[in-house]
Amino acid sequence: MSVKKIIFGLFCLLAINFELQAQPFKGCPKGNETISVTNESFEQQVLALVNKERAKRKLKPLQLDPNLTASARYHAADMAIDAYFSHDTYDKNGQRQCGTFERIVKFAGKYFGAMAENISAGDSSPAGVMQSWMGSAGHKANILNKNYTHIGIGYFYNANDKEQYYHYWAQSFGKKK
């Protein structure tokens, strides 16, 4: 292997590592931020579990929406990196930056009517987070709301989490107008 290929490979690894560490959390998001995916399989498993719960009650499955997913991923990563747990968006100094729906609209636009969000921290598996959400009346109501047509799911793992939750989850729900 040539020295150029080795140097290029090391550069790529450094760039990937930098991307995972340098998240764009500055104020309320603009809606065009790209968040590193830490476990897309977990997100897909949550989608399957959500739709399994909906099917038990003869509700239509939710469709995964990339814009709602971007919102959910942003929020899960932001909570993990800036060490807070809230539906609103905060900075690393604990200052509120924007509200839940303001953030979701930045990513998903105004083409969604009804909106909601579920968040969780600490559950290390899709089954665990779904069990937590289904055990909470408000979270369960969002998952089973017949008016929602789309969902975005975000998961972020932070091994250096000073709050020691390590696993952060968000679901953004919406109904297409």
Side-chain angles (χ1 to χ4, degrees):
M1 184 176 278
S2 73
V3 173
K4 285 183 181 180
K5 285 183 180 179
I6 292 171
I7 291 171
F8 179 74
L10 288 172
F11 174 78
C12 289
L13 286 173
L14 288 171
I16 290 168
N17 188 46
F18 177 76
E19 182 182 335
L20 288 172
Q21 299 303 317
Q23 299 293 336
F25 305 121
K26 295 182 180 172
C28 195
K30 293 178 177 55
N32 60 357
E33 293 84 352
T34 301
I35 302 302
S36 302
V37 179
T38 58
N39 194 327
E40 191 169 10
S41 172
F42 272 15
E43 294 170 355
Q44 291 294 323
Q45 289 175 54
V46 168
L47 175 63
L49 291 168
V50 163
N51 284 330
K52 183 177 178 181
E53 291 294 338
R54 291 176 65 84
K56 288 179 190 176
R57 291 146 180 99
K58 300 187 186 332
L59 296 169
K60 290 182 181 176
L62 295 178
Q63 301 299 309
L64 193 64
D65 179 83
N67 297 316
L68 289 174
T69 295
S71 174
R73 283 181 178 158
Y74 179 92
H75 196 53
D78 188 31
M79 288 188 297
I81 291 173
D82 285 348
Y84 71 92
F85 184 71
S86 175
H87 287 282
D88 290 340
T89 300
Y90 287 82
D91 66 16
K92 63 184 171 190
N93 299 315
Q95 299 296 310
R96 184 180 180 277
Q97 298 299 304
C98 63
T100 307
F101 302 112
E102 183 181 358
R103 176 182 21 82
I104 293 172
V105 165
K106 294 276 187 178
F107 285 96
K110 295 183 179 179
Y111 65 93
F112 279 98
M115 290 184 287
E117 178 179 77
N118 286 348
I119 60 174
S120 182
D123 287 300
S124 62
S125 70
V129 75
M130 278 300 294
Q131 183 176 5
S132 294
W133 281 330
M134 293 305 287
S136 162
H139 295 104
K140 182 177 180 178
N142 288 338
I143 290 168
L144 301 178
N145 188 317
K146 67 179 181 180
N147 294 316
Y148 297 135
T149 58
H150 290 78
I151 189 172
I153 301 162
Y155 167 78
F156 195 86
Y157 177 75
N158 181 2
N160 301 313
D161 183 17
K162 68 181 182 181
E163 300 296 323
Q164 297 185 344
Y165 291 119
Y166 306 110
H167 307 270
Y168 289 81
W169 303 84
Q171 293 178 316
S172 298
F173 298 89
K175 177 182 180 178
K176 288 246 179 160
K177 290 183 177 180

